[in-house]
Amino acid sequence: MMTRTLVALVMLAALGGCSAGHQLAPPPGHLMRTTDGQWDVIVSSSSDTWPLNEYFDLEIRVIRGPSAPVEVRADAGMPAHRHGMNVQVDTVRTTSDIWLTQDMLLHMPGDWVLTIDVIDTSGVLHRATMPIVVH
Amino acid sequence: MLYLFILPAVLMAPTLTEDQIRTARSMSPVPPPPSSPTNAMADDPAAALLGQSLFFEPGISGKGTTSCSSCHQPTLAFSDGRHVSTGAGVGIRNAPTLLGAAHQRWFFWDGRADSLWMQATHPIEDPLEMNAARGDVVQFIAHTPQLRRRYESLFGPIPELGALPAGLTPESEQWNSLTSTQQQSVNEIFVNLCKCLAAYERQLQPGDSDFDRWVASFESPDAGPALSDSAIRGFQLFTGDAGCWQCHFGPLLSDREFHDLGLPAPDGSPSTDPGRGEGYATLRASSFRADGPWSDAPESRAARRAAAARIGPEHWGAFRTPSLRNVALTAPYMHDGRFASIAEVLEFYNTLETQARRHHHAEDVLQPLNLNAAQLADLEAFLRSLSGAPPATHLLGPLQDTPPTAIPGDQIRHSTPPAATKGAPIHE
């Protein structure tokens, strides 16, 4: 997990100049790439860690893609347990390329998968996933 | 020869890893309850006093014989020792302890309330519990001088409502004969009373237990007696291989969410109780929910979070994870009180032999523990170490100046003028 995060941060440095419309360096976060490789997003949590059973917010910054996304969604689940979160979250655009998901809740310790979906102008859903461990 | 190697290991006290110490610290002590923004009276001492009066008051039940304390008895850690509760009728669920209830995110086994004050609105009117009519409760308060004074010192004069018809509820035909102002007043008084009940219940905190003293001893060895080796081994199992900690973590030893254990119906077939599947619908249909018109902060983050609850197929048959604080004092166990002892509960988890499910949507959390008898005894020893001291004595019964029920006319001698009640110390 730590290794993955470090790799992500190193990649962030390399990708810093790719963020169209943003001169500032992107905040620390986790780089996620959609499975088709078309989109990159940086996900930052309002919490220092992935908090156990405490609400937190996600900032999702779209830093690379073929066009502006129409919609971004965030979700999380525990595949081994076959359940998701017990909350329904909405992701809203706050600026042209930043989206905010409020009140995520990972209610159990263990292995979760964070999912970010990017919906393009054609309605195609592009999915990025990241395993996270909640202690 | 083999014994020479095994014996010292058996006699050695269990040692804790850094992870186990960190986990133990995350479970103790129990902090103060979280804020309750949807209840403006939540931390008002005078409201708590009125709530305490009401909690032990059978006069607010339909027949005048049942109070909140009938099913939440102080001597039984605010549970009732029955499989399922009996009030005006026989219920279908076990009465949970109220100790630590204010920490919960959802209330009732099926989460049909999203605040402690909303919880209080249910049993008063439930035909199987207190079976009172809302109008009768309001009339009782209006005609019981001590309660009326306490109420009016908090909320102002009770409006003149005239002679409300007996048995008045929003579902009754008579309700439509009331003016909208009268309906509003009846509802407002009822909600205010429930918010006061919640203010009292927020004070019912789990007391320090042997487990808490053990955790405190990590910092200060003089803090109290250590747990038995058996209980420490039980803690290690609980937070380790047995996996109990997946749902029972934190100071309350509960994730405060819902899980389907696959507990069968009495005949062994899959249960027909929808649990959270029904509780969620009941919650959303109520005007007493956190984001509803009777909330004191319907736009608050807390209210929005409650409104964002998600219901999915896996929630059918799911019930809220109970706190394990004081678990040894609150038998019988599970949502329907089916298990008489902790040992029976552990036996269920140990084999899952009786598990039965009606559908394929259930989450996949449980695995048989496959523990031996000594390990089960260790787990039970740990669970028994979670029993704490009861709340302060003055919280364990009716207020000294409160009569057991309404007395005709103002014949009650008051120890405190209403104007001085607000902000008074809890202890009278």
Side-chain angles (χ1 to χ4, degrees):
Chain A
M1 183 64 205
M2 284 297 292
T3 304
R4 185 183 293 271
T5 303
L6 286 173
V7 169
L9 291 173
V10 170
M11 290 178 71
L12 277 180
L15 290 166
C18 301
S19 179
H22 286 275
Q23 301 304 314
L24 296 176
H30 304 269
L31 177 69
M32 296 174 67
R33 178 162 290 168
T34 56
T35 54
D36 57 14
Q38 292 189 34
W39 301 80
D40 285 333
V41 300
I42 295 171
V43 175
S44 306
S45 166
S46 59
S47 174
D48 292 337
T49 60
W50 298 112
L52 171 59
N53 207 23
E54 291 178 8
Y55 291 96
F56 66 99
D57 299 338
L58 280 184
E59 182 189 272
I60 305 157
R61 184 181 294 249
V62 180
I63 60 170
R64 188 179 68 84
S67 62
V70 173
E71 188 178 351
V72 172
R73 299 174 192 154
D75 197 5
M78 300 186 83
H81 288 181
R82 302 199 311 166
H83 67 70
M85 295 191 295
N86 282 349
V87 292
Q88 180 75 47
V89 293
D90 292 324
T91 301
V92 297
R93 189 197 293 259
T94 59
T95 68
S96 61
D97 56 0
I98 297 179
W99 302 70
L100 179 67
T101 310
Q102 288 190 313
D103 295 332
M104 299 275 289
L105 183 68
L106 311 176
H107 61 276
M108 293 181 73
D111 296 327
W112 288 77
V113 172
L114 176 67
T115 302
I116 303 295
D117 289 339
V118 178
I119 292 94
D120 67 20
T121 50
S122 302
V124 176
L125 187 150
H126 307 264
R127 173 160 293 180
T129 60
M130 180 171 68
I132 55 180
V133 180
V134 177
H135 297 285
Chain B
M1 187 62 189
L2 186 61
Y3 288 119
L4 292 177
F5 291 97
I6 293 177
L7 199 57
V10 170
L11 293 177
M12 270 175 33
T15 54
L16 298 177
T17 66
E18 285 298 317
D19 270 354
Q20 288 168 341
I21 291 172
R22 192 164 37 247
T23 299
R25 284 181 170 139
S26 75
M27 298 163 74
S28 176
V30 178
S35 64
S36 179
T38 66
N39 179 4
M41 309 308 291
D43 296 309
D44 186 310
L49 287 175
L50 174 54
Q52 184 171 353
S53 298
L54 296 169
F55 188 87
F56 294 96
E57 176 54 76
I60 59 171
S61 67
K63 288 189 175 177
T65 55
T66 308
S67 71
C68 308
S69 64
S70 300
C71 298
H72 299 286
Q73 301 171 21
T75 53
L76 294 172
F78 288 86
S79 61
D80 66 3
R82 294 175 170 162
H83 294 286
V84 293
S85 294
T86 301
V90 179
I92 61 168
R93 304 265 166 78
N94 177 259
T97 177
L98 294 186
L99 298 176
H103 293 263
Q104 294 291 353
R105 185 176 288 142
W106 308 106
F107 300 84
F108 296 103
W109 284 98
D110 59 11
R112 84 186 91 128
D114 60 9
S115 70
L116 199 50
W117 69 266
M118 181 187 180
Q119 186 280 334
T121 64
H122 280 274
I124 296 174
E125 298 190 302
D126 190 319
L128 298 179
E129 298 190 53
M130 295 167 74
N131 194 28
R134 194 171 301 178
D136 296 343
V137 173
V138 169
Q139 292 282 55
F140 179 81
I141 301 303
H143 292 96
T144 307
Q146 175 71 9
L147 296 176
R148 181 173 187 140
R149 285 205 177 92
R150 284 197 183 282
Y151 181 92
E152 292 186 333
S153 74
L154 287 160
F155 302 105
I158 291 178
E160 181 52 54
L161 293 168
L164 296 175
L168 182 70
T169 70
E171 294 76 33
S172 63
E173 287 185 17
Q174 303 101 312
W175 185 259
N176 292 328
S177 68
L178 268 58
T179 65
S180 59
T181 302
Q182 284 176 309
Q183 292 175 353
Q184 180 82 2
S185 294
V186 170
N187 284 334
E188 183 174 349
I189 293 167
F190 182 68
V191 166
N192 286 340
L193 296 173
C194 292
K195 288 177 177 174
C196 292
L197 276 164
Y200 163 66
E201 291 168 353
R202 281 173 64 80
Q203 301 176 4
L204 304 177
Q205 281 272 85
D208 273 354
S209 64
D210 284 349
F211 173 72
D212 296 304
R213 286 182 281 275
W214 176 64
V215 175
S217 74
F218 298 168
E219 303 294 338
S220 169
D222 297 331
L227 288 187
S228 68
D229 288 354
S230 175
I232 294 173
R233 288 193 299 270
F235 162 78
Q236 291 172 316
L237 274 170
F238 188 93
T239 58
D241 290 345
C244 314
W245 196 63
Q246 291 183 90
C247 299
H248 294 280
F249 58 81
L252 218 58
L253 289 92
S254 168
D255 64 3
R256 301 175 290 159
E257 290 291 334
F258 303 90
H259 300 279
D260 174 12
L261 305 181
L263 290 166
D267 64 0
S269 65
S271 171
T272 57
D273 191 332
R276 178 60 167 165
E278 184 178 47
Y280 175 82
T282 306
L283 167 67
R284 295 312 301 167
S286 173
S287 62
F288 296 145
R289 62 182 194 270
D291 64 334
W294 296 104
S295 166
D296 291 324
E299 305 293 332
S300 65
R301 193 85 181 252
R304 280 192 286 126
R305 286 171 171 171
R310 185 187 68 82
I311 189 75
E314 74 274 21
H315 293 114
W316 194 95
F319 295 93
R320 194 191 64 183
T321 309
S323 168
L324 297 183
R325 290 273 170 184
N326 295 298
V327 65
L329 308 177
T330 58
Y333 303 107
M334 305 316 216
H335 65 277
D336 52 6
R338 67 179 58 207
F339 296 136
S341 66
I342 292 175
E344 285 185 29
V345 177
L346 295 179
E347 184 58 29
F348 167 77
Y349 285 117
N350 203 38
T351 66
L352 296 180
E353 281 176 357
T354 56
Q355 197 178 43
R357 285 217 166 89
R358 186 166 293 279
H359 59 103
H360 64 279
H361 299 292
E363 61 183 25
D364 194 12
V365 178
L366 294 180
Q367 300 293 329
L369 301 183
N370 293 321
L371 302 177
N372 61 37
Q375 289 172 312
L376 291 172
D378 289 343
L379 265 183
E380 181 165 348
F382 165 65
L383 293 171
R384 290 187 177 281
S385 78
L386 297 167
S387 299
T393 306
H394 69 272
L395 295 172
L396 302 180
L399 295 179
Q400 291 303 310
D401 62 351
T402 301
T405 190
I407 295 175
D410 190 356
Q411 303 172 10
I412 306 159
R413 188 161 50 86
H414 300 287
S415 60
T416 309
T421 302
K422 190 161 186 171
I426 296 296
H427 184 65
E428 288 197 339

